[in-house]
Amino acid sequence: MKYGAELGYALKNVNVIINPGEKIGIVGRTGAGKSSLAKVLFRLVHENTSGSILIDGQDISEFGVGDYRARLGMIPQESSIFDGSIRYNLDPLNEFDIEEMWSSLIKCNMAKFVSRDRGSDVDQDDELDNSSNEAHRRKQWQEAGWLKRVFLFILMKVPKPVDTEKLTKLSGLDRLVQGCFGGASSGQQQLFGLCRITMRKRKIVVLDEATANVDLETDKSVQELIRKEFSDCTVLTIAHRLDTIMNSDRIVVMDKGTIAEIGTPQELLAKDGMFALLVKTSEF
Ligand SMILES: Nc1ncnc2c1ncn2[C@@H]1O[C@H](COP(=O)(O)OP(=O)(O)OP(=O)(O)O)[C@@H](O)[C@H]1O
């Protein structure tokens, strides 16, 4: 895979079989090809590619792109909180009932955060007018990186204005949030992302691990939650830190667009190769 005919390969000779339910950590230095792997999985790159990706034996190019992407779960590292109510953030298409939302928030340790007293970025009395809401969304789209755009595409296919009529001040779900969700850390925002995925029961989830404002404890709880609540899902974690993916079933080490090493963390440590060196130097 190349990003342009005149450019070098961003991915080449990548052959890997991932088993159902496996938890895979993807590591490698900057520019090694980690995000490119996720991009081809989400069918974001079409030109200058060859090869195929099969899911349950079926070539992903045979699926309609919208339907296909809606089967995958994406948890980007950047903020995925949109201006609107918490309910809207969890369920923009009104597909779920309140019990399902709370059950998911409880599983993901976010119920307390959502129902807490008003925080600095949370304003229960604010009513965002629809036109400024639309402008906010347009701005968010323009400023979003590719991962966030995929996320928007999947979840916000039919963006709906917040129905301020329905907002009650009694439910934490109906509180309006903006920006980074009342000061939530990146990890907490990812837990919120996990809530969305648990509600939607995706079988393949890509997690782009948070790098900014890293709170190691929350990051660990994201990984623990994944193992518990996503035990039957295949989870690919693009890792920016090693601690959180040491419990992965297998680790893929990317280097210059190819898979340099693949194996369990123990196998790779014993091999004393690139992964062992990354662990020793914590160099990413
Ligand atoms: N949109 C793009 N256009 C051209 N080249 C790109 C583009 N995105 C990535 N590349 C190149 O493709 C190669 C792989 O990049 P990729 O983003 O997949 O690496 P990465 O391992 O995810 O890096 P990082 O850890 O910094 O996010 C790099 O050489 C990079 O410069």
Side-chain angles (χ1 to χ4, degrees):
M1 186 274 268
K2 294 178 177 182
Y3 284 97
E6 72 291 357
L7 298 174
Y9 286 97
L11 292 176
K12 64 182 173 215
N13 299 329
V14 174
N15 285 300
V16 59
I17 295 174
I18 295 171
N19 302 311
E22 255 194 309
K23 307 294 174 283
I24 302 281
I26 303 171
V27 302
R29 294 191 178 90
T30 292
K34 306 181 292 294
S35 305
S36 300
L37 275 183
K39 285 180 193 171
V40 292
L41 181 62
F42 276 89
R43 288 177 53 186
L44 286 165
V45 189
H46 302 284
E47 291 168 4
N48 306 301
T49 60
S50 59
S52 52
I53 298 177
L54 306 182
I55 295 183
D56 293 337
Q58 196 168 352
D59 194 318
I60 62 169
S61 64
E62 292 166 10
F63 297 108
V65 73
D67 286 346
Y68 168 68
R69 286 187 192 148
R71 294 175 188 204
L72 307 181
M74 162 61 71
I75 304 171
Q77 63 168 266
E78 55 197 303
S79 166
S80 55
I81 310 297
F82 306 102
D83 296 344
S85 68
I86 290 172
R87 186 197 301 240
Y88 173 76
N89 266 281
L90 277 176
D91 181 23
L93 304 180
N94 283 325
E95 297 169 284
F96 302 95
D97 57 37
I98 287 185
E99 285 73 25
E100 288 172 295
M101 289 185 216
W102 278 115
S103 149
S104 164
L105 285 164
I106 290 165
K107 276 184 199 158
C108 299
N109 301 327
M110 284 300 284
K112 204 168 158 198
F113 190 87
V114 163
S115 59
R116 71 180 186 179
D117 289 336
R118 61 195 282 167
S120 54
D121 285 348
V122 177
D123 194 339
Q124 294 175 338
D125 302 324
D126 260 1
E127 290 199 352
L128 300 178
D129 89 50
N130 290 341
S131 59
S132 71
N133 223 7
E134 231 8 81
H136 269 304
R137 285 201 198 99
R138 239 192 329 273
K139 189 161 175 280
Q140 280 183 317
W141 174 267
Q142 281 159 357
E143 290 172 355
W146 72 270
L147 273 172
K148 190 163 176 177
R149 285 190 175 186
V150 172
F151 192 84
L152 277 162
F153 182 86
I154 293 167
L155 275 183
M156 309 287 171
K157 267 198 291 192
V158 189
K160 289 188 179 174
V162 178
D163 186 352
T164 49
E165 294 289 315
K166 283 189 184 164
L167 298 184
T168 73
K169 289 168 187 162
L170 298 174
S171 162
L173 287 179
D174 287 329
R175 281 195 347 223
L176 296 175
V177 291
Q178 290 182 305
C180 73
F181 198 175
S185 69
S186 301
Q188 282 169 323
Q189 291 183 41
Q190 292 207 314
L191 286 172
F192 193 73
L194 284 173
C195 288
R196 292 169 168 141
I197 308 277
T198 44
M199 282 163 54
R200 287 168 180 79
K201 302 179 177 39
R202 306 284 194 235
K203 283 287 178 199
I204 300 177
V205 176
V206 177
L207 170 71
D208 193 11
E209 203 183 51
T211 43
N213 309 320
V214 175
D215 160 3
L216 184 56
E217 282 312 304
T218 314
D219 252 21
K220 277 189 177 151
S221 65
V222 168
Q223 289 300 325
E224 274 163 27
L225 192 77
I226 283 171
R227 295 196 79 80
K228 195 167 136 219
E229 295 298 331
F230 295 73
S231 53
D232 58 344
C233 301
T234 307
V235 182
L236 311 180
T237 301
I238 299 175
H240 299 280
R241 52 198 305 161
L242 291 166
D243 352 28
T244 48
I245 47 113
M246 286 310 252
N247 286 329
S248 302
D249 297 322
R250 282 190 297 163
I251 288 176
V252 169
V253 185
M254 296 297 298
D255 184 40
K256 300 186 186 83
T258 62
I259 296 182
E261 291 178 358
I262 182 164
T264 66
Q266 295 72 23
E267 282 166 357
L268 297 187
L269 286 174
K271 193 174 167 191
D272 208 18
M274 191 172 279
F275 181 68
L277 189 65
L278 285 172
V279 172
K280 272 182 209 152
T281 57
S282 281
E283 188 190 338
F284 261 42

